[in-house]
Amino acid sequence: MHLIDRLKSRGWRLTAQRRAIADTFSGPSIHLTPEEVWVRARVAVPEVSQATVYNTLHELVRLGELREVDGLGRSRRYDPNTHAPHHHLLCDGCDRLVDVFPEGDLLASLPAASRHGFSGLQAEVVYRGTCPDCAPR
Ligand SMILES: [Zn+2]
Ligand SMILES: [Zn+2]
């Protein structure tokens, strides 16, 4: 289900601005920086402010409808795919971010002795490298 439909079904208050922001996240695999959301939302609602974009993104993260993806020193992205657990590949050349589904249990590689008594562990991996378009020929 697309983000906008999930928000409608949970009764999220949809103003024109909030709708324009949520609408930017339609597509099968989409990860947007706040700046990209702002640029796209303004096509539909020119008066939408950057502050509204930030506030709305934070609210959607709090609601569990968007996931923040660490940009490893680059811009953070927002990902509406919160229902299928996945990890990411990040291209150092062009910032392209791709969903990946590693096999096996990523936590299994962290022995109990290395967990420092932490509980409720989760693993979130961003693999870095060079995509085919950026690879030297
Ligand atoms: Zn690339
Ligand atoms: Zn993703």
Side-chain angles (χ1 to χ4, degrees), residues 3-6 10 12 17 23 28 34 43 54 59 61 66 81 98 102 105 108 111 130 133-134 136:
L3 176 65
I4 192 77
D5 299 317
R6 301 203 306 261
R10 69 185 289 170
W12 192 60
Q17 299 203 5
D23 267 340
V43 174
Y54 276 99
E59 182 180 341
V61 169
L66 280 181
N81 184 358
V98 182
D105 178 3
T130 306
D133 292 341
C134 294

Side-chain angles (χ1 to χ4, degrees), residues 61-75:
V61 169
R62 229 176 24 246
L63 291 171
E65 298 290 356
L66 280 181
R67 171 178 156 190
E68 279 179 313
V69 182
D70 189 351
L72 303 177
R74 293 157 186 260
S75 278

Side-chain angles (χ1 to χ4, degrees), residues 50-95:
Q50 232 166 339
T52 301
V53 168
Y54 276 99
N55 292 338
T56 305
L57 292 175
H58 289 151
E59 182 180 341
L60 292 176
V61 169
R62 229 176 24 246
L63 291 171
E65 298 290 356
L66 280 181
R67 171 178 156 190
E68 279 179 313
V69 182
D70 189 351
L72 303 177
R74 293 157 186 260
S75 278
R76 161 182 310 189
R77 324 287 174 89
Y78 291 84
D79 184 346
N81 184 358
T82 55
H83 38 284
H86 64 279
H87 302 268
H88 295 96
L89 283 176
L90 175 66
C91 176
D92 283 329
C94 64
D95 271 8

Side-chain angles (χ1 to χ4, degrees), residues 30-58:
I30 188 159
H31 308 87
L32 298 174
T33 66
E35 291 72 23
E36 289 168 336
V37 173
W38 186 48
V39 168
R40 292 177 184 212
R42 275 192 304 170
V43 174
V45 181
E47 66 272 21
V48 68
S49 70
Q50 232 166 339
T52 301
V53 168
Y54 276 99
N55 292 338
T56 305
L57 292 175
H58 289 151

